[in-house]
């Protein structure tokens, strides 16, 4: 079965801390997405990766295809980063781009 | 910046009633999706739509559900006879092609009483 696992489920950090959220998946993928879901429910796409590393502001996403693992890093975390971060993948054979989602990591950054 | 829009933001309906959730994808996008998220659970794929037909659907997307692109701009999800367990947040998404990013709408919260 095609699975996406995230860790940790919940994460509390102090403002300024470096944060890492992990995602692993069971079989080969054609792309991996990191998404941010705000308390109101809306989903924002942060990154789409198929290899290597991407950076946007204080956010960095990496993927290791051989190990079937991706990480999302937040540098100099801020309370406004508090949200649920979701890893979603498109497995090989998902030709229309359907995404399979992880359960999400709930991040709370305290001032 | 172009965005996916959804209406209404919140819909309350009685069990057994039909509901239509509406989405306006980004105008030059070709692939369209519906996802749902039951409160406290992960987001789940419902259906994908391309070239005016369903390209894939999950086991959740049974005969009670249908999708339509009636006029070239709207993309709708219809639930024929709602059940309590249909209560969820429904997200529409679109993308230009299968190698590009998906853009999500803000969601419609459906509450079935």
């Amino acid at each position: 079965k095609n699975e996406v696992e995230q860790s940790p489920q919940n994460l509390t950090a102090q403002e300024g801390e470096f944060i890492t959220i992990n995602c692993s998946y069971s079989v080969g993928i054609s792309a991996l997405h990191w998404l941010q879901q705000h308390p109101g429910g809306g989903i924002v796409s942060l990154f789409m990766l198929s290899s290597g590393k991407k950076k946007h502001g204080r956010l960095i996403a990496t993927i290791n295809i051989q190990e079937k693992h991706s990480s999302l890093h937040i540098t100099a975390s801020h309370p406004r980063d508090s949200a649920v971060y979701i890893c979603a993948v498109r497995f090989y054979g998902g030709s229309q781009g359907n995404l399979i989602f992880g359960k999400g990591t709930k991040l709370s950054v305290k001032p | 910046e172009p965005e996916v829009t959804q209406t209404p933001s919140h819909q309350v309906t009685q069990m057994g009633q039909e509901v239509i959730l509406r989405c306006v994808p980004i105008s030059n996008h070709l692939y369209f999706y519906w996802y749902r998220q039951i409160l406290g659970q992960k987001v789940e794929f419902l259906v994908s739509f391309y070239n005016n037909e369903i390209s894939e659907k999950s086991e959740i997307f049974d005969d009670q559900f249908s999708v339509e692109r009636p006029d070239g701009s709207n993309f709708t999800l219809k639930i024929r006879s709602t059940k309590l367990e249909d209560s969820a947040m429904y997200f529409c998404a679109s993308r230009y092609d299968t190698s590009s990013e998906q853009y999500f709408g803000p969601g419609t919260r459906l509450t079935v009483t």
Side-chain angles (χ1 to χ4, degrees):
Chain A
K1 190 178 175 184
N2 296 340
E3 297 279 354
V4 180
E5 299 287 340
Q6 283 187 240
S7 63
Q9 269 190 292
N10 293 283
L11 182 56
T12 300
Q14 287 299 126
E15 184 172 355
E17 284 184 4
F18 180 84
I19 286 160
T20 297
I21 298 170
N22 296 298
C23 175
S24 59
Y25 47 90
S26 52
V27 296
I29 63 168
S30 53
L32 181 143
H33 297 247
W34 281 104
L35 309 164
Q36 182 189 55
Q37 186 169 32
H38 293 285
I43 294 175
V44 174
S45 180
L46 299 174
F47 296 104
M48 185 176 77
L49 294 165
S50 53
S51 64
K53 177 178 173 177
K54 286 191 176 179
K55 185 176 191 291
H56 185 251
R58 295 180 294 106
L59 301 178
I60 303 165
T62 63
I63 189 167
N64 185 318
I65 296 295
Q66 286 73 31
E67 294 187 4
K68 298 186 178 61
H69 180 269
S70 175
S71 293
L72 176 69
H73 306 286
I74 305 175
T75 61
S77 59
H78 190 276
R80 65 174 175 267
D81 297 326
S82 298
V84 176
Y85 292 84
I86 301 171
C87 171
V89 304
R90 185 167 83 237
F91 289 104
Y92 282 126
S95 59
Q96 298 299 325
N98 313 332
L99 296 178
I100 305 299
F101 293 74
K103 290 182 180 178
T105 294
K106 186 174 181 181
L107 172 65
S108 178
V109 182
K110 307 290 186 192
Chain B
E1 188 173 328
E3 58 182 17
V4 177
T5 58
Q6 288 186 243
T7 54
S9 56
H10 190 190
Q11 171 99 44
V12 181
T13 190
Q14 288 194 323
M15 198 167 52
Q17 295 296 304
E18 174 184 286
V19 293
I20 297 176
L21 309 183
R22 300 180 194 282
C23 168
V24 179
I26 293 172
S27 62
N28 66 339
H29 285 188
L30 302 175
Y31 293 81
F32 313 110
Y33 306 86
W34 282 103
Y35 297 93
R36 79 168 187 193
Q37 185 179 34
I38 293 170
L39 188 64
Q41 297 187 23
K42 64 181 179 180
V43 180
E44 299 171 290
F45 165 73
L46 290 178
V47 66
S48 59
F49 192 88
Y50 169 72
N51 202 25
N52 282 319
E53 60 183 21
I54 290 173
S55 43
E56 191 166 344
K57 58 185 181 179
S58 72
E59 58 195 27
I60 302 167
F61 194 89
D62 62 23
D63 292 343
Q64 293 299 312
F65 291 88
S66 62
V67 289
E68 206 175 37
R69 189 154 159 81
D71 55 14
S73 62
N74 290 283
F75 179 50
T76 61
L77 174 69
K78 183 194 288 187
I79 309 175
R80 265 181 265 285
S81 178
T82 49
K83 307 184 194 72
L84 294 175
E85 54 265 36
D86 294 327
S87 295
M89 184 78 108
Y90 288 81
F91 292 101
C92 171
S94 71
R95 59 167 48 178
Y96 175 69
D97 60 31
T98 56
S99 64
S100 58
E101 261 185 83
Q102 283 193 31
Y103 291 82
F104 288 81
T108 292
R109 183 170 298 284
L110 176 66
T111 302
V112 182
T113 61

